[in-house]
Amino acid sequence: MSDWSKALSDFRPGSGATSTYSGHRGLQIEEKLLFERDSPGCCGVDLPAVPKIEPRIGAARRTGPIGLPGISEPEVVRHYTRLSQKNYAIDTGLYPLGSCTMKHNPRLNEKLARLPGFADLHPMQPLETVQGALELIDTLANWLKILTGMPAVAMSPAAGAQGELCGMMAIRAAVDAKGEARRRVLVADSAHGTNPATAVACGFTVDSVPANQQGRVDLAALKAQLGPDVAALMLTNPNTCGLFESEIVEIAEAVHAAGAYLYCDGANFNAIVGRVRPGDLGVDAMHINLHKTFSTPHGGGGPGSGPVVLSAALARFAPLPWVIQDESGRFALADTAEGDAAQSFGRLKAFHGQMGMFVRALAYMMSHGADGLRQVSSDAVLNANYLLASLKDVMSAAFDGPCMHEALFDDRFLKDTGVTTLDFAKALLDEGFHPMTVYFPLVVHGALLIEPTETESKATLDRFIMVLRSLTSDATSGKGDKFHAAPTLTPRRRFDETRAARAPVLKWTKQAEGRMAAE
Amino acid sequence: MSTTHYAKSHEWIRIEGDIATVGISPYAQQQLGDVVFVELPQPGATLVRGKEAAVVESVKAASEVYAPVSGTVIEANAALADDPSLVNQDAGGSGWFFKLKLSDTAEIGELLNEDDYTALIAELE
Amino acid sequence: MRYLPLTDAERQDMLAVIGVSSIDALFRDVPASAVRHEPFPLPPHQGELEVERALSRLAARNVPAGSVPSFLGAGAYRHHVPATVDYLIQRGEFLTAYTPYQPEVSQGTLQALFEFQTQVAMITGMDVANASMYDGASAATEAVLMANRVTRRGRAIVSGGLHPHYRATIATHAHFAGFTIEAAAPDAAGTEDLGDRIGPDVACVVVQNPDLFGRVRDYSDLAAQCHAAGALLVMVVTEIISLGLIKSPGEMGADIVAAEGQSLGNPLNFGGPYVGLFATREKYVRQMPGRLAGETTDADGRRGWVLTLSTREQHIRREKATSNICTNAGLCALAFSIHLALLGETGFTQLAELNHAYAVSLADRLAAIPGVSVLNESFFNEFTLRLPTASAPIVDALAARGILGGVPLSRLYSDAPDLANLLLVTATETNTTADMDAFVAALQELI
């Protein structure tokens, strides 16, 4: 046992935990891996007998076993039910991850996405048989264009990061079409890591633009960095510090004057949806995260959907396919680069986009309507400012308020306590809250970024405030031990991540099973 | 007689004749935390002073290691593949990264000596 | 509004605590020119009943594939998903959880991902798999990018049997990232031999098995040729159930497998969301894109799982990342995993055998129609028919008769007149004898 883990396990929680024979602890049930539940020959599905035929599989027939475990249906249900019970989720409680917008995921969306008329459609069915589906995509596209004040939208990107790729590819295509040798992209230094990674994937080099004292993009620095070799500026608005870029119009003007494009990362759209249109701010391309702003579920990491709204100058480069409508009102899919789509930069994925997420997002938008969406951004910003105002006297706010939909703190309030931002976050787990985003954005030391969203009640926020104030008091009054040992009440305690990275074990193997038993 | 010099980017270099051994400083390994992997240059590779020579990964970060001087790599520390923790345990000794043959001994003059480097990190803290 | 918990009284209280008189004051940084006073030209809020009514109407204007005899493939396949799968993935702790960045309260997601990675490695015969990608096409693209990194070469040879949408996706990235692809002509005849093309600048050869036309091959020889030239073999699988019957890519010598997992656990969904599978050899693990769940122990010495090797990813390496990818296909990967858990070794094998047997029966019956021939000597559950006339109008005529009779090649290759008479036909375990009777009879009439 390393010093590290010995120190953690030396701490014992106040109420002595009783040990059990089974290893379970009441409703906290230990669950083996699927492969350790193998009943060879068992099957959780009943299939008809295979008719006798002359096989036509050719010479490449599988001869050996695959090694998959056999399990009955009740055992499978129990396995996954137990697994689910070890997860925190939005349905469980407040999930204040900054820039993730963990809002309530309505079940109406799930019901409608499962209608056979949406879920049981093959992407290559004759277009006459899917007019309703194409109309749905077109309707959603329309909502997005109206909400953002942009004339065009590319619907196919599968997630936010792919949406960024789409926007930057469109910009690169536009630059190339003009025959310009612009190969540099400027990225706000508070940007999420996907921004520079995306720019590089499009063949650009990346330079950072610093923030000013007010946490916004430094306009003077930007102007100094703009030049005839710059293709675009990538920024987030509101930015990752939770602040609205107050000089966004001047920024856009400077970028355009230099012949470059303005890409906006739309991760924080929830702060302004229904109230402000990015098109009015001078944005040329912006990806929208349907799984953030428009409530499609996060699913433990995906799937997402990242449509990209585009200016008139960039619209013609949008990726295939395009959903188009002729004069008679009939919908079609333009999936070759000809006609209006002749300058499309190509395909980003196999089919038309994340239809399942389109249905969910449209159901959400229609439920809220224009008035509801305006209330969404209002309440999101109100909730974040309420948290900021209620905590800034004990936790160190990175910037003076007001903030937008998220509040940023740094670790100055933990100075000389021996408690790090990480320790503080782990203590929150024992309090029954998922921690806020930590150590992002990188521009602030030991960042704690809190985004409550509009679907949290005042009572929840008050409870959260009380807990944060209490933890801060503990940290600053010498109770560091509790934080170092945290969490102690969760299904697992802190993990040895070094071991996981030094000698990665990325799958179960039969030999490993024997070793685990021995330890 | 070998002396240890430092680059501002926290690499150390010990030179004997025209062969140099390069690693990262104890301060650097402490900042990184537990090292989990090191990506080393191949023997024969040409390194340019100030350009990326290797990558050192901890659980939460990946940092470039820059060549303190220009030259050709003659050996990479094979022990780090099996035990990257050597960088944490003995950054200045068995946690060395690679050896190279210098191409321009004049570059040594641009490096920091031990005292200057100690002063530099004192300022950072 | 049912999703908004705040009351007007609470809003007023909160504004007072903040110290402003109205919410507008909190938006003071928005430039005056962008402050909107007119409402958006969009409908106002609606209750569940109205929304359900409106969207049901749109759904009713489509023909669900399961409501008529359907024989569609070409990269998306209609299979029966057991009822259990959909109920389990809708448990709120799976559905509404985020990426497992706090592993102590995410063991459900992390253990499921570890199991998924294991299943994918098993069925592909590879050493290690990631926690999924967006879809097969983007997985194939990431495979080519990875091959470029590993070999430090910049050219990819792409088989004429690769799904054209996958080829187009790879080509898009090639254009921007600055590598080249050499795409062989569509291999309808099945005579392609890529061995001669593997020059010293080739990073990888990309093949699909079964290929677009349905042919099944053993690529062991091609793998050897690639390795002799210092290149990697990337194998794409669009119908993952084929691995129940066909030799695994790993056994054939593939270096990277990029596959579409939609066939297990996930409905057709008009093209998305799907789930990309990505697997490779142990020695390349640090060059793999995407998320990885790894096993370790906690402070009490108990086994558990965490996201690991994340220093390759964009949120840390930024411009030096292996990829810009952020999300995986989370819930779709879980659905895949649950379906495969229910099937197990015997079920997966039997399901594959059923698919093949039904396809063989259908192929024989269709080939018996005068003027119609089956091009394939080998196939799994999808094969190519040659019709005496262009297949697209025939497919439309079949649709008018309530039959979704396959995908015409002209839908995938708009500028290849030599492929215009070809039709891709798929049979799965969801097709009945009555379905096939209807299809055969209708096609016979139309020819």
Side-chain angles (χ1 to χ4, degrees):
Chain A
M1 204 193 241
S2 72
D3 285 350
W4 156 92
S5 82
K6 185 167 192 318
L8 285 174
S9 59
D10 275 346
F11 176 82
R12 290 273 168 261
S15 59
T18 42
S19 64
T20 62
Y21 296 112
S22 62
H24 305 319
R25 289 224 263 259
L27 210 49
Q28 279 230 29
I29 301 185
E30 289 298 317
E31 179 58 19
K32 298 195 277 202
L33 288 166
L34 274 178
F35 317 94
E36 294 162 338
R37 282 176 154 278
D38 183 19
S39 304
C42 205
C43 185
V45 175
D46 288 316
L47 294 168
V50 181
K52 282 221 165 354
I53 42 95
E54 268 301 309
R56 301 257 256 289
I57 207 76
R61 200 188 182 96
R62 176 169 68 83
T63 48
I66 295 172
L68 293 167
I71 317 177
S72 67
E73 181 183 298
E75 294 283 273
V76 168
V77 171
R78 211 163 266 171
H79 177 78
Y80 287 98
T81 300
R82 288 172 177 178
L83 254 49
S84 77
Q85 290 170 333
K86 300 173 195 303
N87 270 3
Y88 191 97
I90 297 175
D91 283 2
T92 313
L94 172 67
Y95 217 130
L97 287 175
S99 287
C100 293
T101 312
M102 304 297 288
K103 66 172 73 184
H104 170 67
N105 304 138
R107 292 314 197 272
L108 174 66
N109 304 354
E110 297 305 308
K111 180 178 178 186
L112 296 175
R114 285 168 167 79
L115 291 174
F118 293 135
D120 198 14
L121 296 181
H122 190 284
M124 306 296 283
Q125 283 181 219
L127 298 177
E128 284 317 307
T129 67
V130 293
Q131 287 293 301
L134 296 173
E135 182 173 340
L136 185 137
I137 300 177
D138 186 67
T139 305
L140 177 65
N142 234 31
W143 276 75
L144 291 173
K145 288 188 281 191
I146 291 173
L147 286 170
T148 58
M150 303 285 277
V153 57
M155 295 302 290
S156 66
Q162 214 186 43
E164 281 181 38
L165 206 53
C166 173
M168 293 308 290
M169 284 180 172
I171 288 172
R172 169 85 196 261
V175 160
D176 289 350
K178 284 197 241 171
E180 293 177 344
R182 292 175 182 264
R183 285 287 175 272
R184 247 182 358 121
V185 162
L186 305 177
V187 177
D189 66 358
S190 58
H192 191 280
T194 45
N195 287 184
T198 297
V200 165
C202 294
F204 293 115
T205 57
V206 174
D207 283 319
S208 227
V209 181
N212 56 29
Q213 294 279 52
Q214 291 75 44
R216 277 98 171 164
V217 166
D218 186 326
L219 184 58
L222 170 66
K223 285 180 173 169
Q225 286 176 273
L226 283 167
D229 62 338
V230 172
L233 167 67
M234 296 178 83
L235 54 58
T236 312
N237 190 31
N239 64 29
T240 59
C241 299
L243 306 168
F244 192 91
E245 290 284 351
S246 31
E247 295 182 295
I248 182 77
V249 169
E250 291 85 344
I251 289 171
E253 279 167 2
V255 168
H256 293 146
Y261 295 93
L262 180 57
Y263 180 85
C264 185
D265 180 325
N268 291 331
F269 192 42
N270 207 47
I272 58 175
V273 65
R275 185 181 267 266
V276 179
R277 303 186 308 179
D280 292 338
L281 303 174
V283 167
D284 293 299
M286 183 177 97
H287 80 271
I288 296 170
N289 300 79
L290 295 186
H291 48 293
K292 294 186 182 187
T293 320
F294 297 107
S295 87
T296 74
H298 295 268
S305 176
V308 182
V309 287
L310 298 165
S311 63
L314 295 177
R316 73 204 66 164
F317 304 104
L320 301 170
W322 295 8
V323 173
I324 55 180
Q325 195 176 16
D326 66 22
E327 316 80 50
S328 71
R330 187 181 168 275
F331 289 98
L333 275 169
D335 53 15
T336 49
E338 49 192 37
D340 288 342
Q343 288 182 284
S344 164
F345 69 70
R347 265 189 181 278
L348 281 174
K349 67 192 293 286
F351 299 112
H352 331 309
Q354 307 282 67
M355 180 70 178
M357 317 329 279
F358 297 160
V359 179
R360 291 170 171 87
L362 185 60
Y364 175 81
M365 286 169 171
M366 290 171 72
S367 295
H368 268 295
D371 54 326
L373 288 172
R374 190 183 170 90
Q375 195 65 57
V376 163
S377 56
S378 299
D379 284 357
V381 169
L382 179 65
N383 279 354
N385 276 283
Y386 182 65
L387 286 175
L388 179 62
S390 306
L391 292 166
K392 66 184 186 199
D393 59 320
V394 294
M395 289 172 67
S396 41
F399 298 97
D400 291 330
C403 57
M404 300 291 329
H405 67 313
E406 54 193 2
L408 178 63
F409 298 88
D410 57 37
D411 61 3
R412 281 173 295 155
F413 74 104
L414 294 172
K415 191 168 149 66
D416 298 328
T417 60
V419 175
T420 63
T421 291
L422 183 69
D423 296 329
F424 195 81
K426 296 305 184 188
L428 260 177
L429 290 171
D430 277 339
E431 296 285 337
F433 284 98
H434 193 282
M436 63 290 276
T437 296
V438 291
Y439 299 105
F440 180 80
L442 302 171
V443 293
V444 151
H445 200 273
L448 301 105
L449 185 63
I450 307 179
E451 180 186 354
T453 83
E454 74 285 359
T455 58
E456 296 303 327
S457 68
K458 183 169 179 296
T460 300
L461 297 181
D462 286 335
R463 175 70 66 95
F464 189 52
I465 289 164
M466 181 272 284
V467 166
L468 287 174
R469 295 184 72 92
S470 305
L471 287 177
T472 300
S473 171
D474 284 350
T476 53
S477 60
K479 303 209 178 88
D481 279 351
K482 157 170 141 171
F483 292 84
H484 299 138
T488 58
L489 303 172
T490 46
R492 282 295 182 268
R493 299 187 52 205
R494 271 198 235 192
F495 281 101
D496 188 347
E497 303 204 12
T498 302
R499 170 180 169 168
R502 275 195 185 148
V505 174
L506 303 172
K507 66 177 184 186
W508 170 89
T509 53
K510 264 202 148 62
Q511 307 94 289
E513 198 181 326
R515 259 209 311 278
M516 270 276 141
E519 264 172 31
Chain B
M1 148 88 169
S2 71
T3 46
T4 308
H5 296 269
Y6 293 85
K8 283 201 187 125
S9 43
H10 308 291
E11 294 87 12
W12 58 259
I13 173 168
R14 251 192 308 278
I15 303 166
E16 282 174 81
D18 65 347
I19 306 293
T21 307
V22 177
I24 63 169
S25 69
Y27 172 79
Q29 69 77 21
Q30 196 187 56
Q31 293 296 303
L32 276 171
D34 290 339
V35 172
V36 302
F37 185 73
V38 183
E39 194 186 304
L40 294 168
Q42 306 267 44
T46 310
L47 300 181
V48 174
R49 176 172 162 260
K51 298 273 187 231
E52 183 183 313
V55 181
V56 56
E57 284 181 34
S58 67
V59 173
K60 292 299 181 201
S63 280
E64 281 77 46
V65 173
Y66 300 100
V69 294
S70 311
T72 312
V73 178
I74 47 178
E75 193 187 342
N77 187 353
L80 294 185
D82 293 322
D83 191 5
S85 74
L86 286 173
V87 179
N88 298 114
Q89 292 165 40
D90 188 16
S94 57
W96 62 275
F97 278 37
F98 56 85
K99 293 190 197 305
L100 74 155
K101 190 173 155 78
L102 271 65
S103 59
D104 183 359
T105 47
E107 287 176 337
I108 302 172
E110 321 240 0
L111 298 167
L112 302 173
N113 63 31
E114 189 113 31
D115 292 333
D116 291 339
Y117 180 65
T118 310
L120 173 75
I121 51 184
E123 246 174 81
L124 290 170
E125 274 169 352
Chain C
M1 200 288 157
R2 59 191 182 278
Y3 303 148
L4 301 176
L6 295 181
T7 65
D8 282 336
E10 286 169 336
R11 290 181 181 113
Q12 290 309 312
D13 287 345
M14 292 161 77
L15 286 170
V17 167
I18 295 166
V20 294
S21 54
S22 82
I23 189 74
D24 290 337
L26 298 175
F27 285 89
R28 67 184 189 205
D29 287 327
V30 178
S33 56
V35 173
R36 287 182 61 79
H37 302 289
E38 333 75 75
F40 283 82
L42 291 166
H45 69 277
Q46 296 178 78
E48 281 203 15
L49 185 53
E50 292 97 336
V51 175
E52 192 170 323
R53 192 179 285 144
L55 290 183
S56 297
R57 241 183 245 128
L58 276 181
R61 289 181 52 211
N62 304 312
V63 177
S67 66
V68 295
S70 296
F71 301 91
L72 304 167
Y77 302 90
R78 189 168 191 278
H79 291 282
H80 176 75
V81 179
T84 304
V85 174
D86 207 35
Y87 278 94
L88 288 172
I89 66 171
Q90 287 190 78
R91 288 186 68 87
E93 301 94 324
F94 283 135
L95 183 73
T96 72
Y98 189 62
T99 307
Y101 288 128
Q102 298 288 349
E104 301 90 338
V105 291
S106 314
Q107 287 301 289
T109 299
L110 285 161
Q111 182 172 341
L113 287 178
F114 185 77
E115 292 173 346
F116 170 83
Q117 286 167 195
T118 307
Q119 289 169 323
V120 173
M122 279 178 171
I123 63 178
T124 58
M126 304 296 282
D127 296 330
V128 62
N130 73 12
S132 79
M133 317 214 76
Y134 306 135
D135 71 343
S138 52
T141 304
E142 293 285 349
V144 173
L145 290 168
M146 178 175 149
N148 292 348
R149 279 196 299 277
V150 165
T151 61
R152 293 172 215 248
R153 300 177 182 181
R155 195 154 71 93
I157 311 284
V158 171
S159 162
L162 181 68
H163 194 297
H165 291 179
Y166 284 49
R167 177 178 48 76
T169 304
I170 297 172
T172 302
H173 285 78
H175 172 79
F176 289 104
F179 61 92
T180 57
I181 69 168
E182 187 188 304
D187 186 29
T191 52
E192 176 182 272
D193 180 3
L194 300 174
D196 296 332
R197 305 201 196 202
I198 315 175
D201 64 332
V202 169
C204 64
V205 176
V206 184
V207 297
Q208 181 178 314
N209 203 29
D211 72 7
L212 175 75
F213 304 92
R215 275 193 197 83
V216 179
R217 283 185 188 79
D218 187 335
Y219 281 106
S220 305
D221 287 344
L222 182 61
Q225 287 173 306
C226 286
H227 298 149
L232 303 187
L233 180 63
V234 173
M235 202 172 300
V236 170
V237 181
T238 59
E239 168 49 292
I240 202 70
I241 292 176
S242 67
L243 294 179
L245 213 51
I246 299 174
K247 202 165 155 192
S248 74
E251 269 183 86
M252 292 185 191
D255 298 291
I256 308 176
V257 177
E260 176 53 66
Q262 173 270 322
S263 287
L264 284 174
N266 290 278
L268 292 169
N269 268 329
F270 200 50
Y274 286 173
V275 50
L277 312 181
F278 194 100
T280 189
R281 305 222 163 273
E282 183 78 51
K283 57 184 173 175
Y284 300 132
V285 70
R286 287 190 141 84
Q287 291 301 324
M288 264 209 316
R291 294 190 180 134
L292 287 169
E295 191 172 286
T296 184
T297 46
D298 79 344
D300 287 336
R302 288 188 296 175
R303 176 178 71 171
W305 295 274
V306 296
L307 287 180
T308 193
L309 299 189
S310 39
T311 49
R312 306 155 301 127
E313 292 184 77
Q314 33 63 31
H315 57 289
I316 294 183
R317 284 312 302 266
R318 299 174 72 88
E319 61 266 21
K320 301 218 166 86
T322 48
S323 160
N324 85 328
I325 195 168
C326 211
T327 50
N328 63 344
L331 208 66
C332 300
L334 181 63
F336 174 102
S337 205
I338 298 175
H339 192 174
L340 192 51
L342 287 166
L343 286 169
E345 183 88 9
T346 50
F348 188 54
T349 308
Q350 190 170 344
L351 181 61
E353 287 171 349
L354 267 176
N355 273 255
H356 183 57
Y358 288 10
V360 167
S361 308
L362 181 60
D364 287 344
R365 293 180 63 181
L366 289 169
I369 299 174
V372 175
S373 57
V374 171
L375 291 192
N376 312 47
E377 322 72 49
S378 67
F379 54 87
F380 169 62
N381 65 0
E382 183 164 31
F383 51 87
T384 306
L385 290 185
R386 181 183 293 285
L387 305 181
T389 57
S391 55
I394 306 242
V395 165
D396 287 338
L398 284 168
R401 288 161 189 240
I403 295 170
L404 295 174
V407 179
L409 255 297
S410 51
R411 185 99 194 252
L412 295 168
Y413 287 106
S414 57
D415 56 351
D418 55 318
L419 302 177
N421 289 16
L422 302 184
L423 180 65
L424 293 179
V425 174
T426 303
T428 73
E429 77 285 0
T430 61
N431 292 114
T432 63
T433 314
D435 287 342
M436 300 193 206
D437 292 342
F439 185 22
V440 171
L443 187 61
Q444 182 132 24
E445 249 179 83
L446 288 168
I447 297 284

